[in-house]
Amino acid sequence: MDRCVVLVDAGYLLGAAASLLAGEPARTRISVDHATLIQGLRERAEAETERPLLRIYWFDGAPDRVPQPEHRRLRVMPRVTVRLGALTHSDGRWAQKGVDAAMHAELTELARNRACSDIVLVTGDGDLLPGLMSAKEHGVAVHLWAVQAADGDYNQSEDLVAEADERRVLDRSWITGAVRVKELTGPCAPPPAPRPEIAAILAAPLPETAAPAPVPADAPPARNGAARPRPGPRTPGAGPEGADGAERDSADTGSAPGSRGVPTPKDLAILGRGPAGQTAPQPVPSATLRWSSDRGWIDRGPGGADEPPETAGLPMLAQLTSAEQRWADREADITAVSGDPFEVGQVFARRWIDRLAEPAHLAQLSGAYPRIPHRIDGELLRYAARFGLLAHKDDQIDENDRYAIRAGFWREIDARSGAERAAGDG
């Protein structure tokens, strides 16, 4: 068949691009516009092979072979098929398993079935040499593409290079059309300013018996214009919640001095306070930091209820969503939502607000700040789990991601409730 097929080893393509542009092979150092990248691969393959494209196969690794947000976006693009191998973590490094075997199987199967006349390989792995030779024996022309090496040398197997029918290099100018370097956030560059919403979410109210901690000058204002109290400290070793939203990170600081009550460097970083040369918050006796879904830790309402009566009856997003909307939501999640934790919280809140039948519910939820009602909070975290925000080993959402998810949620709630109040005043 007079068609071309492109097989992409994503680990090689993006790792080599990171080395070229950022000086290290870590893919976390680059940001990729996948739509532009796929379009560029298609146009170049058709131009160089002079054949129409049949399909682009994207081979990559993922923890437990579970598609990550980028894979979900890629696999719904026209003419793109995603094949996932395993991604394992060992000795402080991530490694792909099964990707080269999957590429070898696809390469030989396409050639054996005469599904195409030309195959473009974007890889440097010498393990594909037997598959490349088999494809040639079946009459398929093999084009080997390399990413320009940072040191000007080869970053591909020499045997693979020798056996290819044609070889091309994706140079820096081509790569930068779809890939850019992320800004540094380490010792070489000043850290970004913390989102004030995250600090506000941390500033959970303390019991009436607890003396309020000092409030910094740059603390976010409360809804009534007063400054919010400083957050109570977190219990060292308290883990995050699972995907079902049942958290386990409540902190009771009433124990012996020195064991609790002093924030860790991570806590100080989240609050935007420097660990050196600045005054740390003082321990607050008997203070309790309580989150929205601290089941078993929060104060029980009348009759042992988990939530106050005014928020217990708030509807969940699932109750407000029709089958047609659910389908549209999934499409939007795949194609339009990046998976950034802050954005995930915003999207969830926006949908909840837009589908409310009773406007008073928005005011009720807004008044519950900073605690999202337990059922809605659990639903929010389950929604976030779709975007690969769960830690690999224990199916728990990273602590910082939880802050950002809820910060995005409250940002959207505040923006909409503020707009409605302004409209009512006018």
Side-chain angles (χ1 to χ4, degrees), residues 107 121 128-137 142 144 160 163-164:
L107 175 61
L121 284 178
L128 284 177
L129 181 61
L132 186 154
M133 297 174 65
S134 175
K136 290 174 62 177
E137 291 171 358
V142 180
L144 183 65
L160 207 63
E163 281 292 332

Side-chain angles (χ1 to χ4, degrees), residues 55-366:
R55 190 172 299 116
I56 295 176
Y57 289 89
W58 186 273
F59 295 87
D60 203 1
D64 294 330
R65 292 185 168 86
V66 176
Q68 301 300 295
E70 65 181 275
H71 303 138
R72 299 173 67 205
R73 291 193 295 275
L74 281 163
R75 65 184 184 179
V76 297
M77 292 180 183
R79 304 280 180 153
V80 176
T81 295
V82 176
R83 298 280 188 256
L84 295 179
L87 191 64
T88 60
H89 193 262
S90 178
D91 297 328
R93 299 181 61 185
W94 289 98
Q96 295 182 158
K97 300 293 183 183
V99 172
D100 53 349
M103 289 189 71
H104 178 278
E106 200 71 57
L107 175 61
T108 55
E109 194 70 14
L110 287 167
R112 184 182 298 114
N113 292 330
R114 300 186 183 278
C116 57
S117 60
D118 295 74
I119 291 179
V120 175
L121 284 178
V122 186
T123 185
D125 194 343
D127 291 343
L128 284 177
L129 181 61
L132 186 154
M133 297 174 65
S134 175
K136 290 174 62 177
E137 291 171 358
H138 284 86
V140 174
V142 180
H143 306 251
L144 183 65
W145 289 1
V147 175
Q148 178 182 339
D151 54 8
D153 199 357
Y154 284 141
N155 53 15
Q156 293 177 303
S157 162
E158 185 176 338
D159 292 335
L160 207 63
V161 171
E163 281 292 332
D165 295 305
E166 301 283 349
R167 183 173 183 265
R168 297 289 184 271
V169 176
L170 304 176
D171 59 18
R172 179 185 294 268
S173 62
W174 192 92
I175 292 293
T176 52
V179 181
R180 64 179 179 84
V181 180
K182 292 181 179 178
E183 294 182 3
L184 290 173
T185 57
C188 297
R195 289 186 175 120
E197 297 83 12
I198 297 180
I201 288 177
L202 282 172
L206 303 176
E208 293 181 0
T209 57
V215 179
D218 57 350
R223 294 181 183 276
N224 59 5
R228 294 195 183 279
R230 292 286 295 178
R234 298 175 58 80
T235 304
E241 77 282 16
D244 62 356
E247 299 187 21
R248 298 182 297 278
D249 59 357
S250 177
D252 183 354
T253 61
S255 58
S259 61
R260 300 181 183 180
V262 179
T264 65
K266 186 175 183 180
D267 296 327
L268 295 174
I270 293 172
L271 292 172
R273 296 177 65 88
Q278 299 187 24
T279 303
Q282 297 300 315
V284 180
S286 304
T288 303
L289 175 60
R290 297 168 295 178
W291 289 87
S292 52
S293 12
D294 288 339
R295 206 165 209 167
W297 294 89
I298 62 174
D299 294 336
R300 300 290 178 173
D306 288 342
E307 298 175 9
E310 58 270 19
T311 59
L314 291 176
M316 297 171 64
L317 179 60
Q319 297 171 314
L320 302 170
T321 304
S322 66
E324 292 79 8
Q325 288 172 324
R326 189 172 296 110
W327 175 271
D329 288 349
R330 295 292 288 190
E331 286 290 308
D333 289 344
I334 293 172
T335 59
V337 182
S338 70
D340 173 76
F342 191 80
E343 181 191 8
V344 166
Q346 286 184 299
V347 170
F348 182 93
R350 190 177 304 130
R351 290 174 182 169
W352 188 85
I353 296 168
D354 290 342
R355 295 166 192 175
L356 283 176
E358 178 54 58
H361 286 161
L362 177 58
Q364 291 172 347
L365 177 60
S366 181

